[in-house]
Amino acid sequence: MPIASPEVYAEMIDRAKAGAFAYPAINVTSSQTLNAALQGFAEAGSDGIVQISTGGAEYASGPTIKNMITGAVALAEYATEVAKNYPINIALHTDHCPKDKLDKYVRPLIAISQERVNKGLAPLFQSHMWDGSAVPLDENLQIAEELLAASAAAKIILEIEVGVVGGEEDGVSAAIDDKLYSTVEDGLATAAALGLGEKGRYLTALTFGNVHGVYKPGNVKLRPEILKEIQDAISAKYGKDKPLDLVFHGGSGSLLSEIHGALDFGVVKMNIDTDTQYAFTRPVVDHVLKNYDGVLKIDGEVGNKKAYDPRAWGKLAENGLAKRVLEACEHLRSTGTTLSK
């Protein structure tokens, strides 16, 4: 299937909310991690989301280039071509973009999609994230309103963050404190500023104790009931059931019961990065340890080309990440839900 059209992406989100499931959103940094994500989604029979952070885009552009736009465009174009060979729908998304990088990342990418749409083509990306968690809510929503208008014109969905995700990701850190929990007032302010679809479609990453990074199950103190409280408050005011399309950030270490609670309250997208990074790297370590004298030319020997060929350990790495995507689909109830059936 080709990359999801704006209409297909909207239908994906609608079906996820109606069916109380969510799509794993897998961060990728290379053609290998992207291929692995596609493999995992296809094996699960699930549509999915592939996303590129600012740091991931810099890396993809080349370690001496570090150009976010170059990397993001290159991976998007690559994905557009290779995704044609898979029987699923994939949406392309850009992950966390703070205020100081908007002019270097999200705004130029929206402009690229607008140019494509003006020519009768599909947008390059299907959604972009504006991470305004580091600025006051009023400023966050003011910028979001401007970006929403631009996104809607380019047939793109905007993702925003209301609240603060703790921990660190791509050099952006936040304390683990009461700010990790969005409030009903936050949700009502969001609906008042951005509307409920009439100004353009958007996804909302409300925070309910989410923390980026590596945590053992049970260590992250999530309160998914906050999502229900906010949805109910907005619903009571505007008369629309589960009015917000929600995103779950910082899910590593979450209990399955907490994840399922979030899905029941309107989460349609869950970001997965830390776990898939490990799933990709672990098989490589195993290969090196088991083939130490083949991977390295020890004591003047020649090594074993079949062991150090990047394809040898690369296939193992991709399979490892694909298995973690398959597991994510099962946890998020998206297995077997692809629109292409």
Side-chain angles (χ1 to χ4, degrees):
M1 299 292 289
I3 293 295
S5 66
E7 295 75 19
V8 167
Y9 191 26
E11 186 177 355
M12 285 169 56
I13 295 170
D14 289 341
R15 291 183 76 234
K17 184 185 282 188
F21 67 88
Y23 299 106
I26 307 301
N27 282 70
V28 300
T29 56
S30 65
S31 60
Q32 283 189 299
T33 51
L34 197 153
N35 285 339
L38 295 178
Q39 177 186 331
F41 284 125
E43 290 176 353
S46 171
D47 299 325
I49 300 169
V50 169
Q51 60 189 22
I52 308 166
S53 67
T54 56
E58 278 191 350
Y59 176 80
S61 73
T64 63
I65 303 301
K66 297 184 178 180
N67 185 299
M68 290 182 285
I69 299 301
T70 297
V73 171
L75 283 179
E77 294 285 11
Y78 179 84
T80 299
E81 187 60 33
V82 298
K84 297 175 183 177
N85 299 309
Y86 292 87
I88 52 173
N89 299 286
I90 295 293
L92 300 177
H93 175 76
T94 59
D95 200 13
H96 292 270
C97 182
K99 182 180 177 181
D100 64 338
K101 294 182 179 178
L102 280 176
D103 288 338
K104 302 175 185 176
Y105 198 51
V106 165
R107 287 191 176 107
L109 289 174
I110 292 175
I112 289 172
S113 285
Q114 184 65 66
E115 290 178 6
R116 291 167 59 98
V117 169
N118 291 345
K119 297 176 182 177
L121 303 174
L124 184 61
F125 282 85
Q126 286 65 61
S127 53
H128 293 296
M129 181 186 178
W130 147 235
D131 183 354
S133 60
V135 302
L137 182 61
D138 288 348
E139 183 182 3
N140 182 350
L141 295 177
Q142 182 180 9
I143 294 173
E145 192 169 6
E146 171 254 312
L147 291 172
L148 181 60
S151 297
K155 299 184 178 181
I156 296 168
I157 294 173
L158 180 69
E159 179 181 331
I160 65 168
E161 183 169 311
V162 177
V164 177
V165 176
E168 186 274 336
E169 182 175 59
D170 261 358
V172 178
S173 299
I176 299 176
D177 54 27
D178 289 344
K179 292 182 179 179
L180 301 186
Y181 301 94
S182 299
T183 66
V184 167
E185 291 73 24
D186 293 338
L188 289 170
T190 300
L194 304 183
L196 294 176
E198 67 275 10
K199 295 182 180 182
R201 189 159 195 171
Y202 62 95
L203 306 172
T204 308
L206 295 174
T207 57
F208 50 102
N210 319 57
V211 179
H212 289 134
V214 184
Y215 298 89
K216 292 183 178 180
N219 282 8
V220 178
K221 306 303 180 184
L222 293 178
R223 295 173 52 202
E225 66 273 11
I226 287 175
L227 304 179
K228 183 177 187 303
E229 293 170 4
I230 295 173
Q231 292 275 45
D232 287 349
I234 299 173
S235 178
K237 183 171 182 178
Y238 295 95
K240 184 177 181 181
D241 186 44
K242 292 183 185 176
L244 297 181
D245 301 325
L246 299 179
V247 179
F248 188 159
H249 285 238
S252 296
S254 303
L255 299 174
L256 194 57
S257 59
E258 295 170 332
I259 293 174
H260 287 171
L263 302 185
D264 293 337
F265 301 144
V267 165
V268 296
K269 171 180 179 281
M270 179 173 172
N271 289 12
I272 301 175
D273 187 16
T274 301
D275 288 354
T276 48
Q277 287 177 347
Y278 183 78
F280 185 83
T281 302
R282 182 63 182 84
V284 179
V285 176
D286 188 57
H287 174 77
V288 171
L289 292 177
K290 288 181 177 178
N291 300 278
Y292 189 76
D293 57 351
V295 173
L296 299 177
K297 298 181 179 181
I298 301 173
D299 295 331
E301 294 297 325
V302 296
N304 182 346
K305 183 179 182 301
K306 290 184 178 180
Y308 60 73
D309 184 334
R311 290 170 293 184
W313 50 263
K315 291 175 184 177
L316 298 173
E318 290 182 33
N319 285 334
L321 194 156
K323 288 180 180 178
R324 184 61 184 86
V325 173
L326 181 62
E327 179 184 3
C329 292
E330 294 171 355
H331 288 172
L332 298 183
R333 305 171 177 161
S334 72
T335 300
T337 63
T338 177
L339 287 168
S340 64
K341 292 173 63 177

